[in-house]
């Protein structure tokens, strides 16, 4: 593919914003848009009609429209890994089989949430999320954006291997009411696994009978989660796992059975079973 030609854009003249607004009283309306409940306003940038046209020409010359269609069509546009980048399937757009698989993931996640809220894993008041990079930034962003005013669960996201970072989170947690989410694509990330081991030691040292039964693995490598002494994990969620029941060592409990286990505020009368994911 030819390199992009930026010469037209580089040749554009820049003018002060005040001059641009004076020359176009309708600038705000022209350079604003409302999409999916979000208001975008580019009028306070140095964009002009000529600049928009130049950028559109550059996009056309680079085949942006075709690449966009390939993205939403579920084609293998991730040339590094030789696979599709199917984030759009999570929103119902893309290859039909990918959209169906994403819906299956959503159902399984809903089943896990129902199990947690029904206290099938024991009482939960605190959630410790361990990850690094995107495995920490993504959840941290969601909690900040959507749960800032919520007080149902006390959530801490830890990525720093400095022991003080973990201690600061655990100091306010009750180990008997804490679950741990360990997020790692490969489940071999050194910093993440070090913090996970420390968190497990904290649970065990504080008298939690089954520490691994309080851990949820989030990974694209479920076999690595199993190797991590974790045949007793509460759950292993992986994009490679099939949707359906979440198994324990003795029985299989479907999402429907989970939902009937109790209301969101009701405690289970029996000790929590040990759950492992279907991918295991």
């Amino acid at each position: 593919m030819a390199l992009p030609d930026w010469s037209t854009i580089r040749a554009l003249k820049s003018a002060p914003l005040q001059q641009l607004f004076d020359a176009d009283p309708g600038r705000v309306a022209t350079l604003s848009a409302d999409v999916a409940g979000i208001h975008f306003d580019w009028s306070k940038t140095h964009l002009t009609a000529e600049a928009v046209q130049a950028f559109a020409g550059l996009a056309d010359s680079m085949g942006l429209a075709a690449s966009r269609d390939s993205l939403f069509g579920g084609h293998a546009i991730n040339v590094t890994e030789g696979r599709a980048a199917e984030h759009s399937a999570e929103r119902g757009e893309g290859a039909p089989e990918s959209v169906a698989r994403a819906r299956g993931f959503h159902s399984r996640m809903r089943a896990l949430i129902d199990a947690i809220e029904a206290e099938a894993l024991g009482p939960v008041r605190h959630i410790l999320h361990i990850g690094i990079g995107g495995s920490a930034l993504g959840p941290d962003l969601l909690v900040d954006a959507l749960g800032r005013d919520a007080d149902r669960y006390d959530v801490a996201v830890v990525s720093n291997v400095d022991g003080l970072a973990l201690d600061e989170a655990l100091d306010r947690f009750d180990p008997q009411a804490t679950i741990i989410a360990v997020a790692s694509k490969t489940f071999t990330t050194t910093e993440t696994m070090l913090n996970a081991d420390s968190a497990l030691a904290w649970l065990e040292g504080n008298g939690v009978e089954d520490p691994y039964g309080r851990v949820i693995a989030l990974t694209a490598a479920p076999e690595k989660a199993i190797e991590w002494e974790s045949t007793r994990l509460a759950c292993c969620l992986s994009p490679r796992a099939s949707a359906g029941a979440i198994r324990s060592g003795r029985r299989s409990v479907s999402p429907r059975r989970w939902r009937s286990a109790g209301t969101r505020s009701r405690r289970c009368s029996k000790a929590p079973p040990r759950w492992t994911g279907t991918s295991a």
Side-chain angles (χ1 to χ4, degrees):
M1 179 182 291
L3 294 175
D5 181 5
W6 291 84
S7 59
T8 302
I9 294 174
R10 292 194 179 102
L12 293 170
K13 303 298 183 182
S14 180
L17 283 177
Q18 185 62 56
Q19 182 178 330
L20 294 176
F21 275 94
D22 291 343
D24 181 10
R27 179 176 175 81
V28 173
T30 302
L31 292 174
S32 296
D34 291 280
V35 180
I38 303 175
H39 180 70
F40 296 91
D41 181 0
W42 297 278
S43 65
K44 280 74 174 179
T45 71
H46 287 79
L47 278 177
T48 62
E50 293 77 15
V52 171
Q53 185 175 359
F55 277 112
L58 177 62
D60 288 342
S61 70
M62 297 304 296
L64 176 63
S67 296
R68 180 192 59 213
D69 292 343
S70 294
L71 168 65
F72 286 101
H75 300 152
I77 66 166
N78 181 342
V79 295
T80 303
E81 299 183 6
R83 63 187 184 91
E86 296 187 301
H87 307 84
S88 60
E90 302 294 332
R91 300 185 293 274
E93 296 184 73
E97 62 273 15
S98 300
V99 173
R101 186 165 57 249
R103 287 174 178 162
F105 293 157
H106 294 170
S107 296
R108 187 176 51 181
M109 179 62 76
R110 181 69 254 178
L112 174 60
I113 293 171
D114 287 344
I116 292 172
E117 293 181 337
E119 300 192 353
L121 308 180
V124 177
R125 300 296 174 264
H126 313 285
I127 301 173
L128 175 64
H129 181 96
I130 298 174
I132 198 169
S135 295
L137 293 173
D140 201 19
L141 173 63
L142 284 175
V143 170
D144 184 52
L146 304 178
R148 184 177 301 178
D149 298 325
D151 59 3
R152 182 169 189 173
Y153 298 111
D154 188 1
V155 181
V157 179
V158 174
S159 59
N160 196 333
V161 291
D162 185 340
L164 291 176
L166 186 61
D167 288 344
E168 183 179 355
L170 297 181
D171 281 348
R172 69 176 194 264
F173 282 7
D174 174 3
Q176 301 295 335
T178 298
I179 59 173
I180 301 171
V182 182
S184 172
K185 181 178 180 180
T186 63
F187 223 73
T188 58
T189 309
T190 302
E191 298 87 345
T192 298
M193 304 320 298
L194 177 61
N195 277 332
D197 287 336
S198 297
L200 277 169
W202 172 76
L203 289 176
E204 188 171 11
N206 283 278
V208 175
E209 182 179 351
D210 183 9
Y212 284 104
R214 287 278 177 166
V215 178
I216 297 170
L218 310 169
T219 182
E223 68 282 355
K224 292 297 183 181
I226 298 304
E227 291 175 9
W228 183 61
E229 304 180 64
S230 50
T231 54
R232 296 175 292 165
L233 282 175
C235 184
C236 178
L237 293 181
S238 168
R240 289 172 47 193
S242 59
I246 306 298
R247 295 198 305 268
S248 72
R250 297 181 180 177
R251 55 180 176 167
S252 178
V253 181
S254 69
R256 180 176 299 176
R257 285 276 304 279
W258 269 6
R259 283 193 289 272
S260 65
T263 64
R264 294 186 175 184
S265 60
R266 175 181 167 189
R267 293 191 178 185
C268 294
S269 57
K270 297 181 179 179
R274 296 171 178 173
W275 310 99
T276 55
T278 53
S279 61

